[in-house]
Amino acid sequence: MKIAVLVKRVPDTASVFKIAVDGKSVETANLKYVMSPYDEHAVEEAIKLKEKNGGEVIIVSVGPSEAKEIIRSGLAMGADSGLLITGAEALSPRGLAKVLAAALKTLAPDVIFAGKQAVDDDAAQVPERVAELLDMPHASVITRFECLGASVVVDREIEGGQYTLELPLPALLTTQKGINTPRYPTLPNIMKAKKKEIREMSVGELGLASEALAAGCTVEAFTLPRQERLRKVLEGESIQKVQELVRILRETEKVL
Amino acid sequence: MTLGGLLLVVLIVAAHAVFFARVYFIIRCIRLGQGSLPAAFPLLRMKDVLVKGFGQVLVLRQPAGIGHFLIFWGFFVLTYGTLEGLIAGVFPGFSFAWMGPFYWLMNTLQDWFGLLVMGALAVALYRRFVWRPRRLQASLAHTIDALIIIVLIAVLIKAFYAMRIIEPKPGFTPVTDMLRPWFVSVTGKAAHPMGYAAFHWLHNVVVLSFLVYIPFSKHLHLITALPNLYFRDEKRIAGRIPKLDLEAEGMESFGISKITEYSRKDLLDVTACTECGRCQEACPAYFTNKPLSPKEVVLGLKAHLFEECPALLRDRTAAPKKALYPDVIEKDVLWACTTCRACEEACPVEILPMSKLIGIRQARVLMEGDFAEEAQTALRNVETQSNPWGLPQEARGAWAEALGVKTLAEDANVDYLFFVGCAGSYDQRYMQVTRAVARLLQEAGVSFGILGAEECCTGDSAKRIGNEYLAQMLAQQNVDTMNGYGVKKVVTACPHCYNTIKNEFPDYGGNYEVVHHTELLAALMQQGKLKPKQGPATVVYHDSCYLGRYNGVFDAPRAAILASGTLKELLRTRSNSFCCGAGGGRMWMEERIGGRINEERSKEIIQVKPEVVATACPFCMTMISDGLKSEHRADIPLKDVAELLAEACGIVKKDVVEGE
Ligand code: SF4
Ligand code: SF4
């Protein structure tokens, strides 16, 4: 069984973020990067499936060549090889999905796992787009996975409950936190991961037309969440305070 | 030779055969361990054996040790007579009388020691069966073991006196002389040739039974304790965890997952246990009813060693009957250890129970990735942001901004590197301590700088949780940075950083003169560069394990406290100090079993009615602060020694609290 996992290199959310001078991007100089946390659950689920049914796990990522480190951490968890596509990291989810779909077509996996979203832009759509492009059934935000051979059964989290789906293979699934506990890499696996292959290819090698990669949307501006407090205490009767609060939220802060 | 003599010869030979066969077996067991026994500097080692072994210095640290001292020396003195008796049993009429005055002296000593040893035995019996202090509460088998030995020795001494009463020897022997009239009045006559022979036989048979019994019982320590002192491993003393070679060719297994992966010294260690229970009595985990007892760890390993060895001696690759983990050392035993080192400090024969546990932790973490999830989160945070909270590495030097403290990148031409540590950089409360230290150093005109965002976690928690790989990366990174700036002297406000930099960084090529902030501050006071004003407060100081027991820094924090108030000591203080519960990575794990160590310690603190509690370690501060809260005594101010001193030196509070 061939299992692919889509992972993304993202800044650690604990980093100090600064907006770059262009106002449309984030300064990357002092950022620490990690594998997007939901992707770790995807890698874990893929390795568990491999341990049960045999096969191979391939970690696939789009990013700069530094993203190899992130792939390497998936290999240290027990995946077998990696594929990194460079030169496409600036693409919008639409273009990104096309690149990944083209690359995955050459791999022809039986199961594809991905985190439910990447914690940098929280777009939460690339894996689903990939599945649609590959014409694969897909289920997002799964909290349980079971392989029945030709099909898989998953639980999906929904507001206030969950429902269970059965999908024929090949299929794509995105993982939610509760599904498993990503393993802590062992030293022998870390050592082995250093020798495992990570294939690097540039987006050009996929032969996609540049208009196909055109952005569906573009970033206009980035702003940081405002952190300073107003330190304002409302006075008067409760009813007046509530009215005043609503007025401020609507007129001054324009959040309602 | 008489028939009796012949019989005795047969018994002597048989007893020695059994004895040496067992000793040989034990030596072969120990030789299944890795490496060789440390043996450099034989003269120093001999001195150790003389002072700690024959001088019984370690044993005598507790009052009960006096009894042991008497039995120990009584053993040597009485063995002189025993030997004479054995030879005389084979060659009737033999005696050491030709030794002249020495003979006289030894006879005198035997007479005295006989009484002293009997007294010590009575106390030993009383402690085991009437008083029963917690450390001597043992399983039935172990209690019977103790009883057998006590009875054997008592019978020996009785027989000895009986023989001397019947057949006096030259010497000043008041005890025998006093007993003689009583003996005569009971038996009706003074000469008892048959009686003498009977006691002589009894004595000889008991001596030989004792010889056979020793290596099968806890009294194996008679044979192994002195060698254990002799072969002490200086690479491991004082809690130092040697660097593992992770890149060794063909290495496939790291840490300890089989008993034979321990070093020979480790195995010698476990055979030397006297079952005295001092380690257990000192252990904070045991004290709070967790399943860990360092004594049981050692005895468990000893039993396991002897159980597995026969098969292993036939075939080195034999599969073990029991797994070291989790059959011999269980999960909750392994992870309960705070690495406070109280057990190692307490042990009279320098056994290192804690080191045994660390080895198994290394195997769990490096080979299986198996350790508490909360701790995994902390270590992952260390991997990305180089601090266990996962706060931005970039913000590491943020505490210093308003104080005008420069980084080495800005100015490397300073005397001291102030190595701040993770807690000092990120913990809101401890940042105040960091600022107090920095302000005091500025006040005293010390030239120092920090690494700021270039500083990494030293890896103390990672190392003691067992993640040697991560610990090595962190250490190397820090050493490379520090060496890059030509750092020579380091001051740190964290005993864990202190211990790691001082005792473990040399393994990575980092050799610095390291001082804890309390040491530097005490020195600055002495040089008159800091002039604190005496205040009235009664301060209770809680010793940090890693500063005190690990590195012997007891007086500097006290000197700093005395300059600003009066000092009150806790019942368990200095090298007996009781852990706060946070060491060994326990800071990052939930404490789910038994009582809480920090609450126990806080109760002890509250008991002595302090006006102020002082600590010198960020972990201690957090743990004691929580402990005081749960004991509803958050009203007692808890301060670092540096903060007390800053106040006494009139440093503006605002500087320290807000750093503005
Ligand atoms: S180091 Fe401390 S906690 Fe660990 S076994 Fe020894 S006494 Fe107990
Ligand atoms: S390890 Fe040391 S302190 Fe503990 S019981 Fe054995 S001899 Fe005593």
Side-chain angles (χ1 to χ4, degrees), chain B residues 279 282-286 292 294 336-344 353-354 357:
Chain B
C279 53
C283 175
Y286 184 81
L292 164 63
C337 177
T338 69
T339 67
C340 74
R341 230 180 65 74
C343 52
E344 307 194 343
M354 183 195 87
L357 294 175

Side-chain angles (χ1 to χ4, degrees), chain B residues 381-577:
Chain B
N381 287 337
V382 170
E383 280 169 35
T384 39
Q385 299 288 4
S386 206
N387 69 81
W389 292 280
L391 291 164
Q393 176 156 29
E394 222 190 320
R396 204 167 170 108
W399 62 271
E401 269 157 27
L403 294 183
V405 176
K406 284 195 180 143
T407 60
L408 295 196
E410 289 161 335
D411 179 9
N413 196 13
V414 290
D415 293 340
Y416 280 95
L417 164 66
F418 179 14
F419 197 100
V420 183
C422 300
S425 305
Y426 297 103
D427 179 277
Q428 288 299 329
R429 176 67 188 87
Y430 211 68
M431 275 157 86
Q432 298 177 12
V433 177
T434 311
R435 293 197 194 102
V437 174
R439 285 290 294 112
L440 283 165
L441 296 183
Q442 288 173 334
E443 206 71 13
V446 175
S447 105
F448 71 99
I450 58 172
L451 288 173
E454 282 187 280
E455 186 182 288
C456 294
C457 174
T458 55
D460 162 76
S461 286
K463 180 124 184 158
R464 274 139 188 96
I465 286 172
N467 195 336
E468 180 72 13
Y469 180 67
L470 178 57
Q472 290 194 4
M473 284 197 317
L474 295 165
Q476 196 61 62
Q477 203 173 332
N478 272 317
V479 167
D480 290 347
T481 311
M482 286 156 79
N483 287 352
Y485 286 118
V487 170
K488 300 251 152 34
K489 292 189 199 173
V490 179
V491 54
T492 167
C494 170
H496 294 262
C497 297
Y498 176 83
N499 181 61
T500 303
I501 300 175
K502 183 172 175 178
N503 299 322
E504 290 172 1
F505 277 16
D507 285 345
Y508 304 84
N511 295 293
Y512 318 104
E513 188 188 318
V514 191
V515 289
H516 184 253
H517 71 285
T518 55
E519 291 178 287
L520 184 54
L521 295 176
L524 292 170
M525 276 171 19
Q526 221 175 24
Q527 295 158 12
K529 291 184 181 156
L530 287 174
K531 297 194 180 69
K533 278 202 216 54
Q534 264 287 340
T538 317
V539 183
V540 159
Y541 176 64
H542 158 83
D543 283 281
S544 137
C545 303
Y546 276 69
L547 188 61
R549 205 160 26 235
Y550 270 72
N551 288 295
V553 180
F554 299 113
D555 296 328
R558 285 177 170 78
I561 290 170
L562 281 170
S564 56
T566 38
L567 178 71
K568 214 177 197 180
E569 290 290 354
L570 287 159
L571 195 60
R572 293 194 259 194
T573 184
R574 298 176 77 97
S575 62
N576 280 328
S577 178

Side-chain angles (χ1 to χ4, degrees), chain A residues 12 14 18 32 34 184 186-187, chain B residues 366 384-385 390 393-394 467:
Chain A
D12 183 8
K18 291 191 197 95
K32 299 269 174 188
V34 293
Y184 198 86
T186 66
L187 184 57
Chain B
L366 297 176
T384 39
Q385 299 288 4
Q393 176 156 29
E394 222 190 320
N467 195 336

Side-chain angles (χ1 to χ4, degrees), chain B residues 599-654:
Chain B
E599 288 172 11
E600 280 310 322
R601 185 55 163 173
S602 300
K603 277 186 210 153
E604 293 184 11
I605 292 174
I606 294 166
Q607 247 166 31
V608 298
K609 302 198 171 54
E611 283 167 0
V612 177
V613 184
T615 54
C617 166
F619 288 169
C620 295
M621 179 167 263
T622 306
M623 297 309 269
I624 302 297
S625 159
D626 290 349
L628 290 175
K629 269 185 219 142
S630 20
E631 298 299 316
H632 309 292
R633 287 309 306 272
D635 59 298
I636 306 175
L638 171 65
K639 291 182 181 160
D640 188 272
V641 173
E643 293 177 303
L644 289 174
L645 202 59
E647 277 167 33
C649 290
I651 284 170
V652 196
K653 192 142 192 223
K654 208 170 126 257

